[in-house]
Amino acid sequence: MEKKYNKVVLAYSGGLDTSVLIPWLKEHYGCEVVAVSGDVGQGTELDGLEEKAIKTGASKLYIVDAKKEFVDDYIIPTMQAGATYEKYLLGTSFARPILAKKIVEIALKEGADAICHGCTGKGNDQVRFELAIKAFAPHMDVIAPWRFWELNSREKEIEYAEKHNIPLKINKETNYSKDKNLWHLSHEGLDLEDPANEAPINKPGFLELSVSPEQAPDVPTYVTIHFEKGVPTAVDGEELDSVALIEKLNALGGANGIGILDIVENRLVGMKSRGIYETPGGAILYAAHEKLEEITLDRETQHYKQQLALKFAELVYNGQWFTPLRKAMSAFVTSTQECVTGDVKLKLYKGNIIPASVTSPYTLYSEDIATFGEDHSYNQADSEGFINLFGLPIKVRALNDQALADKTGKGFPGVE
């Protein structure tokens, strides 16, 4: 016998999946539906959301403003780690844990029997949401209709919505699957599902945060970003809070065709999936932060941190934010940022981010030592002893190789 619920909290965006879920849940379970939306910078997508949720059958809608927490506690730590998943800047990935956490808080407050999400059974988001729910409400039931319901395609969902007079901002011809927040906008589905098809980035209305590189201005834009201990605090000399700073960089980057990514990525569930991502401000921040670390991190820390970045990205992508390993890795990253303070000037031009200058009071770069001109700081004769020691294992192997060959007629296996 199917389980019954009295009250279900729905992760609600107002998009296609969650719009049809409100009446579907009421029809299927006869339960009260409480809708919850997290504001992580979706902008106008939240307009009219409460009216829509109530009209389609929700008893109430919570809209939780999580923008500042999203930036400070999720975006910036990930950026500081230099974490990218197959070049993807993780815009959806690190939004899901904070949204799920907020939804759990409201579900517990409301005394709900279950939490429902509209994530497809083919995607990564189902994992990200449910791992966060397990971390904060391990006994809470989760309803994931895409795994069993009859509306097993977006076309069927649209038909259901039309029959139930649910207003949608899409139709069968413009039905890209999108996810938008302060950091990025993703596009999936329709013609994008075939990697042989060129992404229609020059088609009016396809891009929302950016223009295509071809449509960007013919003159470059310069931008200077100031960091304090790895945290961006100012743009072109203007101090900004973290949310406003990303909004400003989104505008600058978007106008210059920055941060458009077309990739076929490896989903956690095993399949490959194509996505088009717009991350204009994020691409600028990653480039600027990496440039500043070039002069403020020592070689060993820089190289080890680059190795860690891959694993950090996998944890974020796979929904493992609320884990001891991610917490420990973040602590390491934070300690590496103590001297990542300074200014980075970049040139933005037709989709390209070109370094222009970098300065820091904690720079490890010394022009006196690095110069090709005459200097009195570096004794080039020291290099002979260094090379002799550094190359000693190679030399010893070659000597022993020759000795063995002279003795037996056959030396060591070759290294060519």
Side-chain angles (χ1 to χ4, degrees), residues 110-399:
E110 285 280 341
D113 306 304
I115 292 172
C116 178
H117 64 72
C119 304
T120 171
K122 289 184 176 182
N124 302 306
D125 280 348
Q126 57 179 337
V127 181
R128 297 164 183 157
F129 269 112
E130 293 186 35
L131 293 192
I133 293 169
K134 290 180 186 298
F136 296 105
H139 302 297
M140 182 73 68
D141 280 1
V142 175
I143 303 172
W146 263 97
R147 297 173 190 163
F148 60 86
W149 70 352
E150 68 279 9
L151 306 178
N152 55 5
S153 72
R154 292 178 69 80
E155 290 75 20
K156 288 182 179 179
E157 286 184 302
I158 291 173
E159 290 176 5
Y160 181 92
E162 290 171 349
K163 287 179 182 178
H164 289 74
N165 297 315
I166 300 170
L168 298 174
K169 296 180 181 179
I170 61 173
N171 56 50
K172 294 176 184 177
E173 288 71 42
T174 61
N175 185 22
Y176 288 108
S177 177
K178 298 184 180 184
D179 177 68
K180 183 180 182 181
N181 59 44
L182 181 68
W183 186 247
H184 90 150
L185 173 65
S186 65
H187 310 256
E188 295 176 310
L190 296 181
D191 52 319
L192 300 179
E193 291 183 346
D194 185 352
N197 293 329
E198 180 179 1
I201 61 173
N202 288 304
K203 182 179 179 180
F206 180 78
L207 297 177
E208 297 180 28
L209 301 182
S210 315
V211 298
S212 71
E214 296 98 317
Q215 296 169 343
D218 293 330
V219 293
T221 297
Y222 286 88
V223 60
T224 300
I225 303 169
H226 180 74
F227 291 84
E228 289 285 338
K229 295 186 176 181
V231 177
T233 60
V235 175
D236 292 332
E238 179 186 6
E239 291 193 3
L240 298 165
D241 70 65
S242 56
V243 173
L245 186 141
I246 291 177
E247 291 174 337
K248 185 176 182 71
L249 291 179
N250 277 340
L252 288 171
N256 287 278
I258 302 298
I260 300 170
L261 180 66
D262 180 346
I263 60 169
V264 176
E265 69 194 64
N266 290 292
R267 283 186 177 176
L268 173 61
V269 293
M271 70 185 69
K272 289 184 180 288
S273 173
R274 188 201 188 179
I276 312 299
Y277 298 99
E278 300 178 62
T279 320
I284 294 170
L285 273 183
Y286 264 74
H289 181 262
E290 181 180 18
K291 193 66 184 176
L292 185 55
E293 285 192 329
E294 287 180 6
I295 68 168
T296 56
L297 294 187
D298 65 276
R299 181 182 64 188
E300 294 300 321
T301 301
Q302 185 178 8
H303 288 186
Y304 188 77
K305 185 171 173 288
Q306 288 169 352
Q307 296 177 47
L308 176 144
L310 177 62
K311 183 61 179 178
F312 196 105
E314 289 176 346
L315 291 177
V316 177
Y317 187 84
N318 294 341
Q320 295 170 293
W321 185 272
F322 300 114
T323 59
L325 178 57
R326 198 283 310 162
K327 181 181 178 182
M329 293 175 81
S330 286
F332 166 77
V333 170
T334 298
S335 72
T336 68
Q337 301 299 292
E338 292 177 347
C339 294
V340 185
T341 295
D343 293 281
V344 181
K345 186 176 183 180
L346 301 172
K347 179 164 66 174
L348 313 179
Y349 183 67
K350 289 188 175 297
N352 296 289
I353 303 174
I354 305 165
S357 71
V358 57
T359 60
S360 171
Y362 303 111
T363 183
L364 299 177
Y365 178 85
S366 171
E367 185 177 355
D368 289 342
I369 292 177
T371 181
F372 282 97
E374 183 179 356
D375 74 271
H376 302 286
S377 303
Y378 187 94
N379 184 355
Q380 298 195 35
D382 290 343
S383 62
E384 181 179 2
F386 166 73
I387 295 170
N388 285 337
L389 292 177
F390 187 64
L392 184 60
I394 297 174
K395 180 179 179 179
V396 170
R397 188 184 192 280
L399 290 171

